[in-house]
Amino acid sequence: MPISVYLRGRLSRAFLPVFAATLFTAFATLCPAASIHGVVTDASGAKVSGANVVLVSNGKVASSAISGADGSFQILTGATGRFFLVVSAKSFRQIETPGFYAGRLDNIERNVVMEPEWVRESIVVTATGTPTPQPQTSEATSVLGPQDLALRDNLVSALRLMPGTFVVQAGQLGAQSSLFIRGGDSDANKILLDGVSAGDLGGRFDFGPLSTTAVQSAEVYRGPGSSLYGADAESGVVSLTTPHGTTSFPSLMLQGDAGNFNTSREEFEVAGAHNKFDYLGAFSWLQTGNALPNDEYHVATTAANVGWQPNGSTQIRATLHYGVDATGVPNAWDFYHVTDVATEKDQDIYMSASLDNQTTTDFHNSFRYGLTRKREQYHLWEQSGSGTFDGYGDSFGYPVTITGANGYSVSGQALLDYFGTYEPYSPGYQLVSNRDEFAYQGDYRVTPHLAALIGFHYEDERGAEPPSTYYPPVERNNEYYLASVHGDFKDRFFYTLGGSLEHYSLFGTQTSPRAGLSYYALRPRQGIFSGTRILFNFGDAVREPGLTDQFYSLYNFLLTASGGPSTIQELHITPIAAPEARTYEGGVEQAFFSQRLIFRSSFFHNEFGRQIEYVGLDLIPELLPNLTPTQQNNLESTLRINGAYELTINSEAFRAMGVETTVEGGIGRNIFMRGGYTYLDAVVQRSFTNEDLKLLGPIPTYNGIPVGAISPLEGARPFRRAPHTGFFTATYSAKGLTGIFTSAFASRSDDSDFLGGYAYGANPNSMLLPNRNLDHGSAKLDLGASYSLLSWLGIYGQGENLLSEQHIAPIGYPSLPMTVRLGLKVQWGPGSGH
C-alpha cells in the first residue's frame, strides 16, 4: 500500500472524532440549547452504565440518553420550560427526579441515585446537611414517605414505625403526644418544617395537633445532631418537608371521609407549575368527639408552597403551615372516673423563605429565613369532681382502685382540681413562643470524592406566659457556626467529620463535635451475600432549656424566697443550664439475595448529663423550713395559680444503651415489608431526690418499695421509655389498589401516677404505686387501603387500633378504641407533588 494512502487513512480515523466534536460545538453555538447532564450511580456510589435517561416536559418525551461506562449522561434540548428525568436500569427501581426549570442556555447538573428494585434506600439530608444516599452515611436515619403518610391524618402512629422511637400520647386523638428517641427526653429532639425550627423554646413539641396535610415526607435522624442543627438536637432530628407543584396545569384534589365517634375529615389541594413558577395550596379540617366526655377535638390546617426559578441555577421558595386546633383535656379518667371541663387551644404558624443558588458546578449556596409563632392556651372552665373537698377547697374524684401493669393496686380518691386554678374571669394560662431565624449554608465539592460544608445560624427567640406577671417575658439571642467534611475513598470507605461552635444567651458557649464512618467490607453485588457494611458514630449535643424550665427554676425561686439562699448553698443548687448528651454507636448492614433483603443492626450507648429534674411544690416546707405553715401554703398556692406545679433543676443523669434491628425486603414488585425491634436499657445514675434525703426527708414508699413520685430514682429507668419496642409493616400496590398493614408493639415501662400527697380519705398522703413496669404493654394494629375506581375517582378506608387496645397511652389515660373511616377522593390531573 502506498504510504500516502496509508497516512490518509490513519489521519482520517484520527480526525473524525475531533471533527465531530467541533461540528457538535458549532451546532450548539448556532442553535442555543440547554444541557442537562449528570452521573447515574447506585446507592453505594458505584457507576451505573446503560441506564436509560428520559427528559420529560409537559407529559411528553423531549429527549433521551444512555449513561456511559462511567455512568455519565448528557441531554441537549432547544426547548425551555419545566422538565423532569425518568431513569431506568436493569435490577433497579425506576426513578423520577423532582421537576426543574431549564432556560435555553442553562447548564444543569442532575446526578441520579438508583435504588435496588426490591428494597428502599432513600436520599437523606439530616445526616450530612446535604442530599446523600443512605448507604453513604453512617448515621441512623429513617424516612416516612408519601405512601406511609397517605392514609394518616397525623404523625403520631407513623412515628412508631421505625426503630429507636417511642411515642407517648397522653389521651385520645389530638391529645398531647411526645416522641422519645433512643431513651432521650421528649424535648431533646429538633423538629424542622422545611428547614425551620418548629419546636417551642427549648425543644418541646406536641405532635398531637400536627396534621399530615401538605407533609410529603418525615425524615427521622436518631442520634445527637447539635453539630449541624444546634441545641435541641440532643437525641435526634425530625425533618418534615412540603411537596412542590409539578403539573403543567392546575391539579385539583378533594377528599372527604367519615367514621365512628362522630369523626369526619375533609381536605382540598391545588397544585401546578407554569414556566418558572410552581405552586401548591392545601386546606384540611378534622373533627371528632373521641370516646370520653369533654374530649371533643378539631383542627384546621392551611399550607402553601410557592417557588420561582429565574434560571436553571437559582431557586426562590416560600412555604407556610398554619394550624389552629382545640381539644378537650378530660385528664386521667381512670384515676377519677370524672372528667375535667377544660380545653387546650393551639395556634401555630411556620414560615420559610429560601434562596438556593448553584453558584458554580461545585459550589452551592443556600440562604433561609424562618418564622415560628406558637400560642398554647389552657383553660379550666369549671371545677369538677365528685363533690368531695378538702379544707383548702380542692376537689377530688370518685373512689377508685388503680392497678398498674406490675399488679400493684391502691384505692382512694385522687385530687382532681386545686382550689384557685379555676378563674372564671381569667383568660387562662398561656405559653407564647416566637422565633425568627436566619441561616446560611454553603457546600463545595472539592473533588468527586470530597465535599465540605460551612454554615451560620442566628435565632431571635421571645417567650412569655401571659397574663402572668410573676414570670416576666424572656428574650434569647442564639447563634452557632458549623463546619464539616463528607467524602469517600474508592466508593468503599465513607466518612463524615464536623462540629459546631454555639453561643446561647441562656447558658453560654458550647462545642459539639461528631464523626461518622462507614466501610463496605463486601461491595454490593449479585449473590446470597450481596453487600456488607460496617458503621460507627460518635457525637456530642446540648439542649436549650425550655421556657417553663427557665420560669420554674428552683434556683431562681430560692434566690428570692426567705431562707432560700441558705438552701442554695447547702444543696449546691445552680442556675438552670443546658442538658448535654454524648453517644457512641457501632453497627452492621448486610444485604442478601442480590439486595432483595437488607438486615441492619446497631448498638448505641448514650450518656445524658445535667438533665432537668422536677421538684414538687409539696417539698417547700423542707426547702424553706424558716417559713410558717401559712406562709408556705400561700407561696405554694401563688406558684400553682401562675402555672407551676413543680420546680426545675439540672440534677439528673442517666445512660441509655441498646440495640436497634431492622429487616426489609420485597416479594415481587408489588409487596414490600419492613420490620424492626429495639431493646433499650436505660438507668438513672443521679437524682436530686436520692441525693438530698437529709433535707427533703424520706422517699415515699409503697409497702416498703421506694417510689419516685415526680422523677425516677437512682437505679430505676427513666419514665415512659419502654425497654422493648417493635414494628412491622406490609404494603401491597398493583393495578390501582394499595393496601397497607402496620403494627407497633411496646413492653411495659416505668412511670408514676403523680398522685403522691394528693389523696383524700383513710390514706391522705399518697395514692402512689411502684414505678417499675407501671405502664402497660401495648399492641397497635392498623389497616388501610385505597382503590382507583376511575382515573379521577377513588375510594379509601383506614382502620386503627383494630384490637381496641386500651393501654397504648400511659397509665390513667384510656386509649381511643378501634376507629374506622371511609372516604372518597376526587382528583383532576395527575399527582400534585414530587
Side-chain angles (χ1 to χ4, degrees), residues 614-779:
Y614 300 96
V615 179
L617 298 186
D618 57 311
L619 296 177
I620 285 179
E622 286 78 22
L623 293 169
L624 300 172
N626 296 330
L627 299 184
T628 66
T630 300
Q631 290 174 322
Q632 291 168 350
N633 287 332
N634 290 339
L635 183 56
E636 184 177 347
S637 297
T638 300
L639 288 169
R640 286 197 172 112
I641 290 173
N642 285 277
Y645 290 86
E646 57 265 329
L647 301 172
T648 58
I649 181 175
N650 293 94
S651 57
E652 187 180 56
F654 63 92
R655 66 121 170 98
M657 64 181 185
V659 177
E660 292 179 358
T661 301
T662 60
V663 180
E664 65 178 56
I667 301 176
R669 292 178 174 84
N670 307 118
I671 298 177
F672 177 75
M673 294 183 293
R674 185 168 62 94
Y677 163 76
T678 300
Y679 170 69
L680 177 67
D681 179 18
V683 62
V684 175
Q685 299 163 317
R686 181 172 180 260
S687 168
F688 178 75
T689 305
N690 284 96
E691 296 195 353
D692 296 290
L693 298 179
K694 181 178 179 181
L695 180 66
L696 302 181
I699 295 171
T701 61
Y702 175 95
N703 293 339
I705 303 173
V707 176
I710 303 296
S711 298
L713 303 176
E714 289 182 11
R717 302 176 186 138
F719 290 163
R720 298 185 178 179
R721 267 146 277 198
H724 304 278
T725 55
F727 68 92
F728 173 77
T729 71
T731 304
Y732 174 82
S733 182
K735 296 181 179 180
L737 174 64
T738 299
I740 303 174
F741 172 77
T742 63
S743 56
F745 312 91
S747 66
R748 297 179 297 176
S749 55
D750 287 13
D751 205 346
S752 174
D753 55 28
F754 302 100
L755 297 177
Y758 311 131
Y760 180 82
N763 182 17
N765 295 319
S766 174
M767 283 185 68
L768 289 172
L769 289 171
N771 306 126
R772 190 70 169 187
N773 290 332
L774 185 64
D775 286 341
H776 293 262
S778 64

Side-chain angles (χ1 to χ4, degrees), residues 120 122 142-150 158 215-219 674:
R120 299 176 182 175
S122 302
S142 298
V143 178
L144 296 170
Q147 193 172 61
D148 299 303
L149 305 177
V215 174
Q216 177 177 254
S217 64
E219 191 173 311
R674 185 168 62 94

Side-chain angles (χ1 to χ4, degrees), residues 254-303:
L254 176 64
Q255 65 181 28
D257 57 64
N260 55 340
F261 301 112
N262 296 316
T263 303
S264 64
R265 184 175 189 267
E266 298 79 35
E267 182 172 356
F268 173 76
E269 180 183 288
V270 58
H274 178 69
N275 205 8
K276 301 178 181 182
F277 181 71
D278 66 81
Y279 56 90
L280 179 141
F283 174 80
S284 69
W285 168 268
L286 180 146
Q287 64 182 17
T288 182
N290 281 319
L292 290 176
N294 305 324
D295 199 15
E296 295 83 3
Y297 166 65
H298 69 258
V299 58
T301 303
T302 303

Side-chain angles (χ1 to χ4, degrees), residues 527-547:
I528 296 178
F529 296 97
S530 48
T532 304
R533 193 160 65 100
I534 300 171
L535 316 170
F536 171 77
N537 290 298
F538 162 80
D540 279 353
V542 294
R543 175 171 69 83
E544 184 184 28
L547 194 60

Side-chain angles (χ1 to χ4, degrees), residues 509-524:
T509 302
Q510 302 278 152
T511 57
S512 299
R514 69 166 181 148
L517 306 173
S518 172
Y519 174 69
Y520 271 101
L522 179 65
R523 287 296 307 270

